[in-house]
Amino acid sequence: MKNIITILLSFILLISCKQSTNVPVKKKLDYANKTVLDSLIKSTSQSKDTLFLGFMIGMKKSDFKKQIEKIRREGKTITFSNSNGYTSIAGEFDLGAGYTFKTSISTESEGKTITGQGSYFIEPIYNKNGELSQLKILASEDWNNSGYSIDKPNWLKNKIEEKHEESTNESLKKALVDNGIISDYNTVWQKGNLIIYETSITVNYVDLKTLLVELLVKELEKEVIKKESKDVTI
């Protein structure tokens, strides 16, 4: 009887070890390698996910404007201006042309409902085919009687986190940090081939393929600068 039990335990242990060795190991990609980036660009399909306010990656300018009209018909406030300004502790900035969406906002804090007003400057960015490839949003949120001076609630970020998981692709985040696109403390979210990342002042929805092309361009620029630096005679 003991021999049978010993054989069974050995068999179970063998199967368990075999299964553990077959667990796929997630390979880290080198986003500073031009060959890797080129391969990823060729194999990555365009995102089909919905963005902020129902916009979609790949939509034409005419479709973008139709979505604007739909938002207005729903009774929401969204306006266009050729010149938009932004003031912060760093000074005043001209944001250029874009849309501004305004809405009431609310959040729960310490068992209380806090309300306010949100203003969101939206800048659509199109690729060479005239398709939406990126959406930049600059948020300004004013909370009523909140008493916050620092660590204010972030309505837009909370909305993003309701639908999107934080990215587990540490190699991609490192590449974004190394190229000065984000800072180490900024968050990156991912849903399929849609990437959302924050900077100190903006939230950016971008097609993964577009982001990979941007990283490739930056690597090529580094090569040119490196070569020019070597060519200088001292």
Side-chain angles (χ1 to χ4, degrees), residues 37 41 134 136 176 179 181 197 206 208-221:
L37 287 170
I41 291 167
Q134 188 171 356
K136 287 189 175 184
L176 297 178
N179 283 282
I181 296 173
Y197 65 86
V206 60
L208 176 57
K209 191 165 190 169
T210 299
L211 188 57
L212 293 172
V213 170
E214 185 176 347
L215 291 176
L216 179 57
V217 169
K218 287 185 177 294
E219 292 304 321
L220 292 171
E221 288 174 347

Side-chain angles (χ1 to χ4, degrees), residues 10-232:
S10 299
F11 180 74
I12 292 170
L13 181 61
L14 178 64
I15 294 297
S16 176
C17 291
K18 187 175 181 181
Q19 287 178 339
S20 64
T21 57
N22 289 332
V23 175
V25 178
K26 193 171 183 181
K27 185 179 179 182
K28 289 187 177 181
L29 295 172
D30 183 3
Y31 288 91
N33 186 306
K34 299 189 299 300
T35 303
V36 170
L37 287 170
D38 184 61
S39 177
L40 288 172
I41 291 167
K42 290 175 180 176
S43 62
T44 301
S45 58
Q46 189 179 71
S47 168
K48 300 296 181 184
D49 288 289
T50 303
L51 316 181
F52 184 64
L53 294 179
F55 299 111
M56 291 185 69
I57 292 291
M59 65 181 354
K60 297 287 187 180
K61 290 183 181 181
S62 57
D63 295 321
F64 188 92
K65 290 180 179 179
K66 286 178 182 177
Q67 181 62 21
I68 293 289
E69 293 305 318
K70 181 177 181 294
I71 294 168
R72 288 171 176 162
R73 288 196 302 270
E74 292 171 349
K76 299 181 178 70
T77 302
I78 186 165
T79 57
F80 175 81
S81 175
N82 283 309
S83 178
N84 295 271
Y86 174 73
T87 303
S88 71
I89 56 174
E92 295 184 0
F93 302 90
D94 181 15
L95 303 175
Y99 296 87
T100 300
F101 171 70
K102 293 186 177 181
T103 184
S104 299
I105 55 178
S106 67
T107 189
E108 301 297 319
S109 178
E110 299 179 352
K112 297 179 181 179
T113 300
I114 302 172
T115 61
Q117 293 293 319
S119 179
Y120 305 89
F121 172 74
I122 303 168
E123 180 188 2
I125 299 174
Y126 300 90
N127 60 25
K128 62 181 180 181
N129 297 320
E131 299 170 338
L132 184 68
S133 60
Q134 188 171 356
L135 198 68
K136 287 189 175 184
I137 303 171
L138 192 153
S140 176
E141 298 178 352
D142 183 21
W143 297 95
N144 302 324
N145 304 317
S146 63
Y148 289 103
S149 57
I150 57 174
D151 296 329
K152 293 182 180 180
N154 191 319
W155 179 84
L156 178 58
K157 186 173 180 177
N158 290 343
K159 284 294 183 182
I160 291 171
E161 291 179 338
E162 287 176 6
K163 292 186 175 181
H164 304 280
E165 296 289 336
E166 188 170 340
S167 176
T168 58
N169 192 337
E170 292 298 325
S171 298
L172 177 59
K173 181 173 181 179
K174 182 179 183 302
L176 297 178
V177 173
D178 291 346
N179 283 282
I181 296 173
I182 66 172
S183 297
D184 189 57
Y185 56 82
N186 291 136
T187 306
V188 179
W189 300 270
Q190 182 168 3
K191 183 180 179 183
N193 289 336
L194 173 66
I195 301 293
I196 308 171
Y197 65 86
E198 61 175 352
T199 67
S200 58
I201 59 173
T202 62
V203 169
N204 305 267
Y205 290 76
V206 60
D207 179 41
L208 176 57
K209 191 165 190 169
T210 299
L211 188 57
L212 293 172
V213 170
E214 185 176 347
L215 291 176
L216 179 57
V217 169
K218 287 185 177 294
E219 292 304 321
L220 292 171
E221 288 174 347
K222 290 175 189 176
E223 257 192 12
V224 172
I225 293 171
K226 189 176 180 180
K227 183 178 183 302
E228 290 178 349
S229 177
K230 285 184 177 180
D231 289 342
V232 176

